[in-house]
Amino acid sequence: MRREILYRKIAKIIEDQILSETLRIGDKLPSIRSIQQIYGVSLNTAIQAFAELESKSLVESRPKSGYFVSKTSQRKLALPSVSKLISPEKGKNSEDLISSVFDILRDKSIRQFSLGIPDNKLLPIAKLNKGIIKAMRQLEGSGMDFEPAQGSTSLRRNIAKWSLIFDGSLTEDDIVTTTGTTNAIYQCLLATTQPGDTIATESPVYFGILQLAKSMGLHVIELPTHPLTGIEIDALKKVIHKIDVCCFTANFNNPLGSLVPDENKKEVVKLLTHHNIPLIDDDLFGNLFFSGTRPKPFKVFDEAGIVMWCGGVSKTVAPGYRVGWIAPGQFKDKIIRQKLVQTVTLPSLFQEVIADFMEHGGYDHHLRTLRHTLHTNCLKFQQAIEDYFPENTKISQPQGGFFLWLELDKRLDTAELYQTALSQKLSFAPGSMFSQNSNFNNCMRLNFALPWDDSLENDIKRLGSIVKQAL
Amino acid sequence: MRREILYRKIAKIIEDQILSETLRIGDKLPSIRSIQQIYGVSLNTAIQAFAELESKSLVESRPKSGYFVSKTSQRKLALPSVSKLISPEKGKNSEDLISSVFDILRDKSIRQFSLGIPDNKLLPIAKLNKGIIKAMRQLEGSGMDFEPAQGSTSLRRNIAKWSLIFDGSLTEDDIVTTTGTTNAIYQCLLATTQPGDTIATESPVYFGILQLAKSMGLHVIELPTHPLTGIEIDALKKVIHKIDVCCFTANFNNPLGSLVPDENKKEVVKLLTHHNIPLIDDDLFGNLFFSGTRPKPFKVFDEAGIVMWCGGVSKTVAPGYRVGWIAPGQFKDKIIRQKLVQTVTLPSLFQEVIADFMEHGGYDHHLRTLRHTLHTNCLKFQQAIEDYFPENTKISQPQGGFFLWLELDKRLDTAELYQTALSQKLSFAPGSMFSQNSNFNNCMRLNFALPWDDSLENDIKRLGSIVKQAL
């Protein structure tokens, strides 16, 4: 009885500190050992105190790091709305906007909230450079030889080994390497569609998929997508007879950061298998989970070989290496042949560097560090947006990856705001890039894989002011 | 008068040595200075002696290297026949054969006469490795950053500068980089064709073009092609109304090594401009000329922007880097967009290494050395084939590049010979790979970009024996 009172008392003290913002989002709590010492209590009491806080979603545990003030503890801003099933708008063209955002990416004088990759400072560049020198020495002909059409054997073996962490059972023979993950998706679409076919995606959806579809003469059905749990299966069922191929991101959709629950993944694969519809399983962000274990891709639930699992290191380790891959199931032979006729082979050096990085432990360590940084940054960004953006701003609650999705006042057009922001050396990705219709014209995507410091916080503040002024 | 007699006397002595095969194909002649000393004659007399020999095609000069016994001086074997305009054979499938040849390329126990690239020993690997380390240090983020969609600025600038040597007037803005030259051709075909369209090529033609066409649903008309002067313009005129795009190699067609004369290049571009038919100008081998100056690509004669000039370093410097490029004329914007949606961007590191290699002189020096080696090897291979192959073997007379094309007795099928050769650790590219019909089933392509030594000569001898035994 006394123990019950004690742990509640301790939990209440911490709760008050959180609600008064003495402890703020992302702050680390004292360790269980410290709590024992400070309050002179047993291990069990300290653990129960944290369990109490966790049950109220005030704190969250991170493996091997301890407890942190959760992002929902002081949440004021609402989630963005679930998108609706809307037909594409005729004549809508985001290409110029996309090109403009891409073209200024190399301008170091601009704050690149629009970046689609982590800032260089978060990447293991020195280690990779050592890896290049090592690979040059070890590779036959310093990587000048043509590798097998399917891609570097050692890279494929290491990808297969890594698939164990999400209960995958891939072998090196199941995998084909590609020029980054975008090219993986291109190869999958090319292998499974004809011009005039229809693909289904999330909405909002990564603009690269929309551009690919357009360039290949494909129609796109954007499915309603929940900011937390991803595509809505009922909506998928409604349009299933119109669909030739699906392209979904189960784990941390770009831009929403949504995570499809395992049972939904299973149901989607079952449904698509029944209708014999191939599924492109874009798992580029899967290793960037903020808590728990590595989420499963759709591929884990695939028995018929209809799922083409696509991955790569562009979002985690080495964007400039363009190392991606596919486990293409029943489409493997066709995809290898496509790769062979389109490019003969890919540079082997970078594939070897990544294989070595995976095999000798650098990969795992780097991912853990990066996830921790991204999670903390996410909480700090959310807090800053609460502080500096208008009160009616809606904000996503990503469970991994490094994008925030903001839904602003309906009257705002972020493509216009983009021009204003750019004149003040701030860049973001306007919402209209992420859809074929005008659903998201008042939205923006922000990259939070940037090193946090005062100037970054100030730039979020400046962006918030631009939004406020526009109202 | 005395001088006239003297130089003729000297020329006659050398001529006799050549005809008696004391001096053999490819042998270097004494220098002009040596001739002066040996015969106690003036500089002019020595020069006139060589001019006499050159006018009889007995010797040939190579810039900065001196005089060599020419390949035609002792020629015994005939040229291969000019191909005929024949419809593709239904059901013919060379893909398994091509895959088999590709799959064994990495087997170091096999003599790779089938190789499509120079042997590593002929490549400047140590210099390039130094270049990689330099580029890692100099590039922002060690090459981790995304480069412009059009490709590395410094590489494009250097390609443009190099175009001066063939009277090109390209600027860096005219050029788009690609994943090797095969991908350049793929991008050109994708930008200019629809499934069901028809392209025209040489015959025999590089099998990669046939595979690309097949994978893209394109028909191919193989035009009659002369082993010395390339595609026959009259044949092109006959079928011009059926053609949507042309894909020609003016300079050292793979596999024939033919060189289209400048006046023919001009006429082809004029004809295609008149009919508004785009021309893919595959100039991958253009820098590997054996004598004279760098031959012009079709692009030089292009006023309307219909020519897409394609190049790369896979055949000269760094096959494994997959660095290629296009000057796509009026199709530039479309091709940049394709590249962006298919791969976002390419690895910048290798492009920087090649740019630096071009800019700081290594490229020029390497090309001169490589051309010299290839020319000498060509003459030695031709001699060995004369010595060891059946007398009715016909053999191409490439003016650049590194392939020989052999036409064997009509009764022979080189796809069958390939299996026999492979069992004896010899590989070559069977003729049927290079056409949609059976025209070349008795042909083979040999790569002579291999370091010459006794074991190589012996392997040519062994291959000759296999051919003789099959008869």
Side-chain angles (χ1 to χ4, degrees):
Chain A
M1 189 58 144
R2 181 172 151 66
R3 201 167 79 190
E4 195 197 336
I5 292 165
L6 247 182
Y7 85 74
R8 284 199 176 155
K9 195 172 143 194
I10 296 166
K12 184 74 175 62
I13 294 167
I14 298 174
E15 182 175 345
D16 286 347
Q17 287 182 319
I18 293 173
L19 294 180
S20 68
E21 300 195 18
T22 308
L23 283 169
R24 297 185 68 177
I25 293 176
D27 278 354
K28 194 173 188 308
L29 296 178
S31 69
I32 286 178
R33 193 174 302 265
S34 309
I35 294 289
Q36 282 184 261
Q37 291 173 344
I38 296 168
Y39 300 99
V41 296
S42 70
L43 177 66
N44 262 357
T45 303
I47 289 176
Q48 271 186 292
F50 281 118
E52 173 85 2
L53 290 164
E54 207 169 9
S55 74
K56 293 183 176 177
S57 294
L58 290 167
V59 307
E60 59 195 12
S61 68
R62 296 185 204 162
K64 298 184 183 167
S65 301
Y67 285 85
F68 293 78
V69 178
S70 83
K71 54 185 174 287
T72 47
S73 61
Q74 295 150 350
R75 187 169 182 91
K76 290 180 200 145
L77 300 182
L79 277 172
S81 333
V82 176
S83 51
K84 293 182 185 65
L85 200 57
I86 297 183
S87 295
E89 276 167 35
K90 289 226 168 74
K92 187 190 170 194
N93 190 341
S94 309
E95 309 246 323
D96 291 339
L97 188 58
I98 294 169
S99 292
S100 153
V101 172
F102 187 85
D103 285 346
I104 60 131
L105 280 182
R106 280 166 309 283
D107 187 336
K108 303 286 174 187
S109 74
I110 292 174
R111 173 64 74 183
Q112 300 288 359
F113 292 123
S114 54
L115 206 63
I117 50 178
D119 186 275
N120 277 344
K121 292 204 181 68
L122 305 185
L123 300 175
I125 292 178
K127 280 189 185 168
L128 294 173
N129 284 353
K130 279 185 194 162
I132 287 180
I133 291 168
K134 183 175 172 189
M136 279 198 307
R137 289 199 186 120
Q138 289 182 346
L139 267 180
E140 184 105 35
S142 296
M144 207 54 91
D145 287 9
F146 281 178
E147 55 172 26
Q150 205 168 332
S152 150
T153 311
S154 52
L155 178 60
R156 290 185 286 119
R157 189 175 57 241
N158 275 286
I159 296 165
K161 269 160 66 179
W162 268 87
S163 77
L164 290 175
I165 63 165
F166 53 74
D167 290 344
S169 54
L170 298 171
T171 69
E172 66 188 60
D173 195 48
D174 295 325
I175 294 161
V176 182
T177 68
T178 57
T179 308
T181 309
T182 296
N183 194 254
I185 294 171
Y186 174 61
Q187 298 300 343
C188 292
L189 285 173
L190 201 58
T192 55
T193 64
Q194 300 286 336
D197 279 359
T198 297
I199 64 172
T201 68
E202 285 100 0
S203 183
V205 59
Y206 168 51
F207 51 84
I209 307 290
L210 296 176
Q211 289 184 299
L212 265 177
K214 189 178 174 189
S215 81
M216 299 174 77
L218 304 173
H219 304 291
V220 178
I221 295 179
E222 294 179 37
L223 294 174
T225 306
H226 191 281
L228 291 179
T229 56
I231 47 147
E232 307 256 277
I233 297 183
D234 286 344
L236 174 60
K237 283 180 183 165
K238 269 186 206 157
V239 294
I240 195 113
H241 293 291
K242 298 182 190 168
I243 294 173
D244 298 292
V245 176
C246 288
C247 182
F248 297 147
T249 302
N251 304 326
F252 322 124
N253 151 280
N254 172 2
L256 283 174
S258 55
L259 174 62
V260 178
D262 276 359
E263 55 270 34
N264 289 17
K265 289 173 185 160
K266 200 169 177 175
E267 195 179 340
V268 167
V269 174
K270 196 175 160 190
L271 181 68
L272 297 181
T273 302
H274 178 72
H275 291 274
N276 199 22
I277 297 172
L279 169 58
I280 300 170
D281 181 13
D282 180 0
D283 197 28
L284 188 51
F285 295 92
N287 285 322
L288 298 179
F289 51 99
F290 292 160
S291 61
T293 54
R294 201 318 186 166
K296 294 178 171 61
F298 288 112
K299 186 71 184 172
V300 170
F301 305 100
D302 178 33
E303 286 169 10
I306 62 152
V307 177
M308 293 163 276
W309 177 63
C310 297
V313 296
S314 302
K315 305 297 185 187
T316 50
V317 177
Y321 283 15
R322 317 309 299 135
V323 171
W325 55 79
I326 323 170
Q330 53 181 252
F331 307 100
K332 191 182 83 168
D333 290 344
K334 196 165 180 190
I335 282 175
I336 293 173
R337 189 139 290 177
Q338 285 173 193
K339 182 183 165 188
L340 194 60
V341 303
Q342 286 171 23
T343 57
V344 187
T345 169
L346 299 180
S348 55
L349 189 74
F350 289 137
Q351 295 183 56
E352 293 303 319
V353 174
I354 296 299
D356 189 69
F357 193 60
M358 287 178 169
E359 186 151 6
H360 294 104
Y363 187 56
D364 187 36
H365 175 76
H366 166 72
L367 285 180
R368 266 184 283 128
T369 311
L370 180 61
R371 282 196 295 263
H372 182 80
T373 305
L374 293 179
H375 190 184
T376 308
N377 272 19
C378 181
L379 301 174
K380 287 176 175 166
F381 263 70
Q382 287 177 319
Q383 183 64 55
I385 288 160
E386 277 189 20
D387 291 348
Y388 304 125
F389 275 59
E391 284 210 353
N392 66 346
T393 303
K394 295 179 180 178
I395 183 169
S396 64
Q397 192 171 323
Q399 292 153 81
F402 46 79
F403 296 122
L404 279 175
W405 182 250
L406 307 191
E407 189 180 315
L408 307 179
D409 190 288
K410 274 285 171 204
R411 291 165 296 175
L412 292 176
D413 180 346
T414 50
E416 284 171 23
L417 281 185
Y418 173 74
Q419 299 302 334
T420 313
L422 207 55
S423 71
Q424 296 183 38
K425 300 283 183 190
L426 300 167
S427 173
F428 60 84
S432 66
M433 287 166 62
F434 299 85
S435 176
Q436 303 168 105
N437 55 55
S438 305
N439 254 353
F440 307 105
N441 284 10
N442 59 326
C443 297
M444 63 168 66
R445 187 193 73 179
L446 300 182
N447 176 329
F448 56 79
L450 307 170
W452 183 269
D453 58 18
D454 288 349
S455 109
L456 183 65
E457 183 168 5
N458 191 48
D459 286 343
I460 299 174
K461 187 176 177 180
R462 292 201 295 127
L463 189 57
S465 302
I466 292 171
V467 175
K468 281 178 180 166
Q469 264 176 331
L471 276 172
Chain B
M1 188 59 146
R2 182 173 149 66
R3 201 166 80 188
E4 196 198 334
I5 291 164
L6 248 185
Y7 85 74
R8 284 200 178 156
K9 194 171 142 194
I10 297 167
K12 184 73 174 65
I13 294 167
I14 298 174
E15 182 176 346
D16 286 346
Q17 287 182 320
I18 292 173
L19 295 180
S20 68
E21 300 195 16
T22 307
L23 283 169
R24 300 184 68 179
I25 294 176
D27 278 354
K28 194 173 187 311
L29 295 178
S31 69
I32 287 177
R33 193 175 300 268
S34 308
I35 295 289
Q36 281 183 259
Q37 290 174 344
I38 294 168
Y39 299 100
V41 296
S42 71
L43 177 65
N44 263 356
T45 303
I47 290 175
Q48 273 187 291
F50 281 118
E52 173 85 1
L53 290 164
E54 207 170 8
S55 73
K56 293 182 176 176
S57 294
L58 290 167
V59 307
E60 61 195 12
S61 68
R62 297 185 203 162
K64 298 185 184 167
S65 300
Y67 285 85
F68 293 78
V69 179
S70 82
K71 55 183 174 289
T72 46
S73 62
Q74 295 151 351
R75 187 170 182 90
K76 291 179 199 147
L77 299 183
L79 278 172
S81 332
V82 176
S83 52
K84 293 180 186 66
L85 201 57
I86 298 184
S87 296
E89 278 167 33
K90 290 227 168 72
K92 186 187 170 195
N93 189 340
S94 308
E95 308 246 322
D96 291 339
L97 188 58
I98 294 168
S99 293
S100 152
V101 173
F102 188 85
D103 284 346
I104 60 132
L105 279 183
R106 280 166 308 284
D107 186 337
K108 301 287 174 186
S109 75
I110 292 175
R111 173 63 75 182
Q112 300 287 0
F113 291 123
S114 53
L115 206 62
I117 50 177
D119 185 277
N120 277 344
K121 292 203 181 69
L122 306 185
L123 301 174
I125 293 179
K127 280 188 185 167
L128 294 172
N129 283 353
K130 279 183 194 163
I132 287 180
I133 291 167
K134 185 176 171 189
M136 279 198 307
R137 290 199 186 120
Q138 289 182 348
L139 268 180
E140 184 105 36
S142 296
M144 206 55 92
D145 287 8
F146 281 178
E147 55 173 24
Q150 206 168 331
S152 151
T153 312
S154 51
L155 177 60
R156 290 185 287 119
R157 190 175 57 241
N158 275 286
I159 296 165
K161 269 161 65 179
W162 268 87
S163 76
L164 291 175
I165 63 164
F166 53 74
D167 290 343
S169 54
L170 299 170
T171 69
E172 66 187 59
D173 195 47
D174 295 325
I175 294 161
V176 182
T177 69
T178 57
T179 308
T181 309
T182 295
N183 194 253
I185 295 172
Y186 174 61
Q187 299 300 343
C188 292
L189 285 173
L190 201 60
T192 56
T193 64
Q194 300 285 337
D197 279 358
T198 297
I199 65 171
T201 68
E202 286 101 359
S203 182
V205 60
Y206 168 53
F207 51 85
I209 308 291
L210 297 176
Q211 290 184 300
L212 266 177
K214 188 177 173 188
S215 82
M216 299 174 76
L218 304 173
H219 305 290
V220 179
I221 294 180
E222 295 178 36
L223 295 174
T225 306
H226 191 282
L228 291 180
T229 55
I231 46 148
E232 307 257 277
I233 297 183
D234 287 344
L236 174 60
K237 284 179 181 164
K238 269 187 206 157
V239 294
I240 195 114
H241 293 290
K242 297 182 189 168
I243 294 173
D244 299 291
V245 177
C246 288
C247 182
F248 297 148
T249 303
N251 304 326
F252 322 124
N253 150 281
N254 171 3
L256 283 175
S258 55
L259 174 61
V260 178
D262 275 0
E263 55 270 35
N264 289 18
K265 288 173 186 161
K266 201 168 176 176
E267 195 179 339
V268 166
V269 174
K270 197 175 160 191
L271 181 69
L272 296 181
T273 303
H274 178 73
H275 291 274
N276 198 23
I277 296 172
L279 169 59
I280 301 170
D281 181 14
D282 179 1
D283 196 29
L284 188 51
F285 294 92
N287 285 322
L288 298 179
F289 53 98
F290 292 160
S291 60
T293 54
R294 200 320 185 165
K296 294 178 171 59
F298 288 111
K299 185 74 185 170
V300 170
F301 305 100
D302 178 33
E303 287 169 10
I306 61 151
V307 177
M308 293 163 275
W309 177 62
C310 298
V313 296
S314 302
K315 305 298 186 187
T316 51
V317 177
Y321 283 15
R322 317 307 300 134
V323 171
W325 55 80
I326 323 171
Q330 54 181 253
F331 307 99
K332 191 181 84 169
D333 290 344
K334 195 165 181 189
I335 282 175
I336 293 173
R337 190 138 289 178
Q338 284 171 193
K339 182 183 165 188
L340 194 60
V341 303
Q342 285 171 24
T343 56
V344 186
T345 169
L346 299 179
S348 56
L349 189 75
F350 289 136
Q351 295 183 56
E352 293 303 318
V353 173
I354 296 299
D356 188 70
F357 193 59
M358 286 178 170
E359 185 151 6
H360 295 104
Y363 188 55
D364 187 36
H365 175 77
H366 167 71
L367 285 180
R368 268 186 282 128
T369 311
L370 180 61
R371 282 196 295 264
H372 181 81
T373 306
L374 294 180
H375 191 183
T376 308
N377 272 18
C378 181
L379 301 174
K380 287 176 177 166
F381 262 70
Q382 287 177 319
Q383 184 63 56
I385 288 161
E386 276 188 22
D387 291 346
Y388 304 125
F389 275 60
E391 284 209 354
N392 66 345
T393 303
K394 294 179 180 176
I395 183 168
S396 63
Q397 192 172 323
Q399 294 154 79
F402 47 78
F403 296 123
L404 280 174
W405 181 250
L406 306 191
E407 189 180 316
L408 308 179
D409 189 289
K410 275 285 172 205
R411 290 165 295 175
L412 291 176
D413 180 345
T414 50
E416 283 171 23
L417 281 185
Y418 173 74
Q419 298 304 335
T420 314
L422 208 55
S423 71
Q424 295 182 38
K425 299 283 182 190
L426 299 168
S427 173
F428 61 84
S432 65
M433 287 165 63
F434 298 86
S435 177
Q436 302 168 106
N437 55 54
S438 306
N439 254 354
F440 307 105
N441 284 8
N442 59 326
C443 296
M444 63 168 69
R445 187 193 73 179
L446 300 182
N447 176 329
F448 57 79
L450 307 170
W452 182 269
D453 58 18
D454 290 348
S455 108
L456 184 66
E457 183 168 5
N458 191 49
D459 285 344
I460 298 174
K461 187 175 177 181
R462 292 201 296 126
L463 188 57
S465 302
I466 291 171
V467 176
K468 281 180 179 166
Q469 264 177 332
L471 277 172

